[in-house]
């Protein structure tokens, strides 16, 4: 049986990487890029870092960043407003404050049920969660073994959009979020309940006011 031959370089490394990255619709890791251009992965990694440094030094309108485990071109922040105005034609497609707050709770508490997110925010978040899911920022992450509620987590697209490689790079905000166990104990004491209030599952109809999307 003939052994399959390895890909070989057909062009210079840096221009080849630029050509592939220009048409990529998602971040590409060094192994995928090495396969595409026919160079060893260590050489590709070094060339990527050199390209990123060159773009920074030249203050190009774009930059090459390692995000969500892969490399991709991004508009340089200083010129983001120009591109946004061109692409959106003046229409802002930003998340609402309610959606941003809900996304932050999911990011720091994940995996987490919708009911727990509602408990932290004090409002029904079903509509906002649907928006976050439809935009690819949040996804299902199994079920809670105790209550059977659907759990949610942020996606790799979320990491890509905020420009970090992993959740470990998020700012240290988690200590400022309310402790749900303490909240439930305080509520139980306030209403004179004999047992801690049970958090509703995602299928339970909430009486809390619902956020607008």
């Amino acid at each position: 049986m003939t052994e399959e031959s390895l890909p070989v370089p057909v062009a210079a490394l840096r221009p080849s990487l630029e050509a592939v990255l220009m048409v990529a619709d998602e971040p590409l890791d060094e192994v995928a890029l090495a396969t595409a251009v026919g160079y060893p992965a260590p050489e590709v990694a070094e060339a990527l870092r050199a390209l990123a440094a060159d773009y920074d030094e030249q203050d190009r309108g774009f930059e090459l960043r390692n995000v969500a485990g892969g490399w991709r071109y991004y508009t340089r922040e200083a010129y983001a407003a120009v591109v946004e105005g061109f692409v959106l034609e003046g229409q802002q497609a930003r998340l609402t404050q309610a959606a941003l707050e809900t996304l932050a709770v999911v990011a720091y508490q994940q995996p987490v049920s919708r009911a727990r997110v509602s408990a932290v925010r004090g409002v029904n978040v079903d509509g906002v969660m649907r928006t976050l899911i439809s935009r690819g920022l949040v996804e299902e992450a199994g079920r809670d073994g105790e209550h059977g509620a659907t759990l949610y987590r942020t996606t790799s697209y979320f990491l890509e959009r905020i420009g970090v490689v992993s959740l470990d790079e998020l700012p240290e905000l988690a200590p400022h979020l309310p402790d749900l166990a303490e909240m439930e104990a305080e509520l139980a004491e306030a209403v004179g309940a004999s047992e801690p209030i049970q958090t509703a599952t995602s299928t339970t109809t909430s009486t809390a006011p619902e956020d607008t999307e």
Side-chain angles (χ1 to χ4, degrees):
M1 183 175 63
T2 303
E3 184 177 352
E4 184 179 354
S5 60
L6 295 176
V8 295
V10 295
L13 176 53
R14 289 195 187 186
S16 296
L17 289 173
E18 290 176 322
V20 172
L21 289 166
M22 191 67 68
V23 298
D25 58 1
E26 62 182 3
L28 299 176
D29 61 29
E30 292 157 6
V31 174
L33 287 167
T35 301
V37 301
Y39 282 84
E43 289 187 32
V44 169
E46 182 179 353
L48 288 167
R49 290 191 292 269
L51 281 172
D54 285 348
Y55 298 150
D56 290 340
E57 182 179 350
Q58 297 165 12
D59 193 25
R60 304 294 291 270
F62 58 89
E63 59 184 335
L64 180 59
R65 293 161 57 185
N66 185 355
V67 172
W71 293 83
R72 189 177 186 181
Y73 284 124
Y74 287 84
T75 300
R76 197 170 295 278
E77 186 176 356
Y79 309 106
V82 177
V83 176
E84 183 178 275
F86 172 73
V87 174
L88 301 180
E89 296 181 351
Q91 297 181 2
Q92 300 297 318
R94 301 179 185 276
L95 292 174
T96 63
Q97 184 65 30
L100 288 172
E101 292 175 2
T102 300
L103 184 58
V105 175
V106 175
Y108 284 101
Q109 297 277 330
Q110 63 184 307
V112 64
S113 68
R114 280 188 291 183
R116 283 193 170 270
V117 177
S118 295
V120 172
R121 294 209 52 233
V123 293
N124 186 306
V125 299
D126 288 356
V128 178
M129 288 291 286
R130 285 194 295 270
T131 297
L132 295 175
I133 293 170
S134 68
R135 294 198 180 189
L137 297 168
V138 170
E139 64 185 1
E140 292 188 5
R143 292 189 174 274
D144 184 345
E146 182 179 358
H147 302 292
T150 301
L151 300 176
Y152 296 89
R153 65 188 175 200
T154 53
T155 63
S156 59
Y157 179 63
F158 164 75
L159 298 179
E160 178 185 341
R161 294 301 298 172
I162 65 174
V164 300
V165 176
S166 71
L167 294 172
D168 294 335
E169 296 184 31
L170 291 177
E172 291 294 332
L173 297 179
H176 300 288
L177 293 175
D179 183 272
L180 293 178
E182 292 181 3
M183 289 176 59
E184 292 172 356
E186 291 176 1
L187 287 172
E189 182 178 353
V191 299
S194 58
E195 296 180 355
I197 295 176
Q198 296 296 316
T199 303
T201 67
S202 59
T203 57
T204 302
T205 301
S206 173
T207 58
E210 184 169 358
D211 257 330
T212 56
E213 297 181 37

